[in-house]
Amino acid sequence: MKSRLDNLLKQVEKPARYIGGEYNIAVKNPEDVKTRFAFAFPDLYEIGMSYMGLQVLYHNLNKEDDIYCERVFAPAADMEALMKENEIPLFTLETKTPVKELDFFGFTLQYEMSFTNILNMLDMAQIPLLAKERSEDDPIIIAGGPCAYNPEPLADFVDIFMIGDGEESLPALMKKYGQAKEKGMSKEEFYKEIAGDTGVYIPSFYDVIYNDDGTVKAYEKNFAGTPDRVERCIIEDIENIEFPTSPIVPIIETVHDRSVVETFRGCTRGCRFCQAGMIYRPVRERSKEKIMDLAMKQLANTGHEELSLLSLSTSDYSGFEPLAIELMQECKKRHVSLSLPSLRLDTFSFNVLEEIQGYKKSGLTFAPEAGTQRLRDVINKGITEKDIYDAVEQAIELGWKHIKLYFMIGLPTETYEDLDGIAEIARNIVNIHRQSGKGGRFNVTVSVSNFVPKAHTPFQWAGQDNTEDFTKKHDYLRKKLNMKSVTFNYHDDAVSTYEAVFARGDRRLGRLLLEAHRQGCRLDSWSEHFDLAKWQRAIEKSETDVEFYTTRERSFDEVLPWDIIDSSVSKKFLISEARKAADEKTTHDCRYGCVGCGINRRVECRLGGIYE
């Protein structure tokens, strides 16, 4: 394999995507382990190597002597063509072993538009696409990540879904498999052995019954050992959970080429559009001392020149200000820059900004999400225009010259007045800079994404704007934002439509995915690869009703395809939040009192070190 690859790599762009051998990789003798696992990120190397979850699970699997985790990524178009021409199957980076020879082929599901890459990678690995067509000699296909909270569109292709935190459950599952293999158990016997484990969903053990109108009527178990609903795995305390201090250092530039430390997991804000804010509850923090220790060790073991804090809302960390200031001081000593993403306007620590002053001045990013207070209340954003303008004024006073604003369009109850509000906020920020007397070049970038209803959120029942409506709103905003010092960016409308199809889809979408694969759809999250004509042909040939999955509103009593998964946030709470959204009422941050989301029936909520 290696000698055959040497010739191919001379003919492709960025051959380092495929050679492995990076600093801090795991090196083991495959003959000395019981279980071999191919960790697949279904996108290009530079995207996958920017994902911290890969590093975390890679570390947690490889610290076990009897498990060998190797990496595999989607090849770029040039490498794919050469591999097919030369009949070279998809292989792992660590040992250049064909993936089909390993025990597990595991995918992380970060984005719905990567689903076609999964089928393409199975095909390139010479593994049958459909689970029912695989033999005992084929790897077990396993998947996890946020998109696994609605696993049904991939149910025909994936053998096992892992729901929830994987640092402990995935190595435990691999160990069980090693024991099963030693006993000579078949795949089916192994599946039955693990079917009742927390976080394990095996779609072949459930049959879906549909109503005449195409909605789901019920899930029927065909194996008694499966649960009625699959509960997600929750690690209650992340303080001492393994986190890599010697992560793999890529040898080519990646999207996020830096050290990363997770400060806390979960979110208390309750934004109604945000899936991550629901499925990662409750908040679990690491201590400042642990974060500092992990950060300094990572910098020492990697040589990275930038450090970033990882969380859903960095400045919501209970000790954010002293942590950020201490990190800044340590980073200055090491000539390392500090990145503080996901800062909230209302908890923004301007003491930290003062510390950054004169040190590093990239653009500041704020996410008002909606253009009017009414719509921000609908989505429970929890910030006011005063919060926005006060923060911007102080940032400008401290010398920032570039403000980035993130908004979402197509939100439930949105009107064109809400779009006018987006332009008004941008205009007011430009005027704030003009009136400050600071002078010089100043720019406001307005980035707009399209609302996609997600499973396990209060908006999971809402209809989505169709592609034409999104386009009209973008055209409207382009005219409104045609002003000096303002740049307007927006997402592809058709891509958002297909994202919604799979975000709320059911098991019947396997037909659409198969047809999209036949049409050559892959790397669909890349604008240069997304081909609308191919998707339209796939829709037509698979006889998929797009509006059934996108623009249609659901009733609260409809059985949803993802109801088989228990996120541990109750449907009662989600319905309550949906009704409050319709009434334009807000719900307070649960750091200031329990809001009854239901997570307490599984684990106690530790907020800032206090049980509430």
Side-chain angles (χ1 to χ4, degrees):
M1 174 71 81
K2 291 179 181 178
S3 60
R4 295 176 69 194
L5 280 175
D6 285 343
N7 183 47
L8 264 61
L9 294 177
K10 297 172 185 176
Q11 305 175 55
V12 298
E13 182 186 16
K14 297 185 180 181
R17 287 168 168 161
Y18 315 105
I19 62 176
E22 304 98 321
Y23 190 57
N24 289 333
I25 65 166
V27 179
K28 298 184 180 183
N29 183 348
E31 295 181 2
D32 294 338
V33 301
K34 294 179 181 178
T35 306
R36 297 185 69 184
F37 185 94
F39 190 110
F41 192 99
D43 211 315
L44 301 184
Y45 175 93
E46 49 265 50
I47 305 296
M49 285 304 297
S50 300
Y51 170 53
M52 194 62 210
L54 180 154
Q55 302 269 16
V56 170
L57 292 176
Y58 183 90
H59 169 79
N60 276 273
L61 287 167
N62 280 317
K63 70 183 178 66
E64 304 293 341
D65 292 337
D66 54 355
I67 301 170
Y68 193 8
C69 176
E70 304 178 54
R71 294 162 297 142
V72 59
F73 301 96
D78 57 351
M79 183 64 169
E80 178 181 335
L82 285 170
M83 288 172 67
K84 289 180 176 178
E85 180 183 334
N86 290 272
E87 298 182 348
I88 293 179
L90 196 65
F91 55 87
T92 65
L93 294 192
E94 276 71 7
T95 62
K96 307 301 181 295
T97 304
V99 172
K100 63 182 177 180
E101 296 179 13
L102 274 66
D103 299 301
F104 284 86
F105 194 6
F107 292 91
T108 180
L109 309 178
Q110 298 295 313
Y111 181 43
E112 289 85 357
M113 296 309 290
S114 70
F115 288 0
T116 50
N117 295 349
I118 294 172
L119 268 63
N120 196 48
M121 291 173 76
L122 287 171
D123 188 35
M124 293 195 66
Q126 300 173 6
I127 298 169
L129 302 186
L130 294 170
K132 64 183 180 182
E133 294 179 357
R134 295 184 203 121
S135 70
E136 291 290 326
D137 296 328
D138 291 309
I140 293 172
I141 310 303
I142 188 170
C147 292
Y149 280 81
N150 178 20
E152 291 304 276
L154 289 170
D156 289 344
F157 314 102
V158 174
D159 299 307
I160 303 170
F161 288 94
M162 297 291 289
I163 313 298
D165 298 328
E167 292 100 322
E168 295 176 338
S169 61
L170 187 57
L173 187 73
M174 295 301 102
K175 283 183 169 295
K176 282 190 175 182
Y177 176 77
Q179 295 164 1
K181 190 163 67 168
E182 286 184 332
K183 295 176 183 177
M185 293 171 64
S186 67
K187 283 184 182 179
E188 185 75 6
E189 290 170 330
F190 172 63
Y191 297 160
K192 289 180 177 179
E193 180 91 1
I194 64 170
D197 290 358
T198 302
V200 172
Y201 174 53
I202 301 174
S204 62
F205 286 160
Y206 298 84
D207 298 317
V208 185
I209 312 301
Y210 294 93
N211 294 307
D212 291 340
D213 63 359
T215 59
V216 175
K217 182 177 182 179
Y219 278 81
E220 292 186 354
K221 299 187 289 185
N222 56 50
F223 171 59
T226 57
D228 294 332
R229 297 183 73 205
V230 176
E231 285 189 335
R232 63 177 263 232
C233 286
I234 303 177
I235 295 175
E236 295 189 39
D237 184 0
I238 66 168
E239 173 74 0
N240 295 311
I241 198 75
E242 289 276 349
F243 193 85
T245 54
S246 297
I248 303 168
V249 181
I251 52 179
I252 61 171
E253 185 177 356
T254 57
V255 175
H256 299 303
D257 197 1
R258 59 198 183 196
S259 289
V260 178
V261 177
E262 181 188 40
T263 55
F264 69 94
R265 194 170 299 179
C267 185
T268 60
R269 295 283 180 155
C271 295
R272 292 169 178 144
F273 60 84
C274 181
Q275 186 184 55
M278 297 293 162
I279 64 174
Y280 294 137
R281 292 185 177 209
V283 165
R284 291 147 287 167
E285 292 190 349
R286 284 189 169 91
S287 67
K288 181 168 77 74
E289 293 71 26
K290 173 64 75 170
I291 294 167
M292 291 297 303
D293 179 60
L294 293 173
M296 295 308 106
K297 285 178 178 175
Q298 265 207 31
L299 290 174
N301 294 334
T302 62
H304 282 306
E305 297 177 345
E306 182 178 356
L307 171 68
S308 179
L309 300 183
L310 175 66
S311 69
L312 291 176
S313 178
T314 303
S315 49
D316 278 348
Y317 179 72
S318 60
F320 169 64
E321 198 167 309
L323 170 67
I325 290 173
E326 187 172 344
L327 277 173
M328 187 68 64
Q329 293 168 346
E330 291 298 324
C331 286
K332 279 185 178 180
K333 292 177 186 176
R334 293 163 172 78
H335 305 288
V336 170
S337 62
L338 178 63
S339 173
L340 302 174
S342 306
L343 294 172
R344 294 276 187 171
L345 287 173
D346 54 348
T347 56
F348 198 85
S349 172
F350 283 99
N351 286 337
V352 173
L353 278 181
E354 289 281 8
E355 187 69 23
I356 297 174
Q357 178 77 17
Y359 170 51
K360 183 192 176 188
K361 280 231 179 56
S362 58
L364 285 179
T365 300
F366 301 133
E369 305 293 0
T372 64
Q373 192 59 48
R374 183 200 69 82
L375 192 53
R376 284 192 292 275
D377 289 346
V378 168
I379 65 177
N380 205 45
K381 184 62 182 177
I383 60 171
T384 65
E385 286 196 4
K386 186 178 186 304
D387 295 327
I388 298 169
Y389 297 136
D390 285 353
V392 167
E393 280 182 13
Q394 294 182 67
I396 290 173
E397 187 62 31
L398 290 169
W400 261 259
K401 298 291 186 182
H402 186 194
I403 304 294
K404 303 174 186 176
L405 300 171
Y406 282 108
F407 294 94
M408 194 175 290
I409 66 168
L411 289 161
T413 78
E414 180 185 74
T415 68
Y416 275 79
E417 288 183 6
D418 300 307
L419 302 185
D420 292 339
I422 294 175
E424 185 67 17
I425 289 172
R427 183 181 298 107
N428 289 341
I429 291 175
V430 171
N431 288 335
I432 288 171
H433 176 260
R434 186 177 297 121
Q435 293 164 10
S436 72
K438 288 291 182 180
R441 180 176 295 179
F442 181 76
N443 180 256
V444 177
T445 297
V446 175
S447 292
V448 170
S449 63
N450 301 325
F451 168 65
V452 177
K454 296 285 184 171
H456 304 286
T457 69
F459 289 160
Q460 65 182 356
W461 295 279
Q464 185 196 38
D465 280 356
N466 61 34
T467 304
E468 293 73 23
D469 287 336
F470 280 135
T471 301
K472 287 177 183 176
K473 290 179 178 181
H474 286 145
D475 291 342
Y476 183 83
L477 276 173
R478 188 185 302 109
K479 294 175 183 176
K480 286 284 183 177
L481 290 165
N482 185 19
M483 59 184 83
K484 188 177 179 181
S485 301
V486 175
T487 304
F488 178 43
N489 299 323
Y490 57 91
H491 287 208
D492 186 282
D493 301 327
V495 171
S496 297
T497 296
Y498 289 109
E499 181 184 343
V501 168
F502 293 111
R504 295 193 296 178
D506 53 43
R507 201 172 285 199
R508 293 170 299 184
L509 288 181
R511 298 196 302 267
L512 172 59
L513 276 172
L514 270 177
E515 191 55 49
H517 173 69
R518 294 189 189 108
Q519 295 294 330
C521 296
R522 54 165 173 52
L523 297 176
D524 292 297
S525 57
W526 295 75
S527 57
E528 61 265 40
H529 292 289
F530 178 79
D531 191 325
L532 181 58
K534 290 179 180 178
W535 275 102
Q536 289 173 333
R537 287 197 296 272
I539 290 287
E540 183 179 346
K541 288 181 177 292
S542 63
E543 299 181 341
T544 301
D545 182 355
V546 170
E547 292 187 355
F548 178 82
Y549 298 104
T550 56
T551 60
R552 181 178 68 89
E553 290 190 6
R554 281 81 166 150
S555 64
F556 290 142
D557 59 358
E558 179 177 329
V559 177
L560 303 172
W562 52 92
D563 281 347
I564 192 65
I565 305 299
D566 182 0
S567 72
S568 298
V569 172
S570 72
K571 183 174 277 192
K572 178 182 177 182
F573 172 74
L574 297 179
I575 291 172
S576 171
E577 285 296 291
R579 286 174 171 156
K580 289 175 77 172
D583 293 336
E584 300 174 10
K585 294 180 179 178
T586 61
T587 299
H588 63 260
D589 186 322
C590 66
R591 284 182 186 266
Y592 308 111
C594 182
V595 297
C597 74
I599 197 72
N600 282 324
R601 68 186 169 87
R602 290 283 313 279
V603 294
E604 291 182 286
C605 293
R606 179 176 292 181
L607 305 175
I610 301 171
Y611 282 102
E612 298 265 340

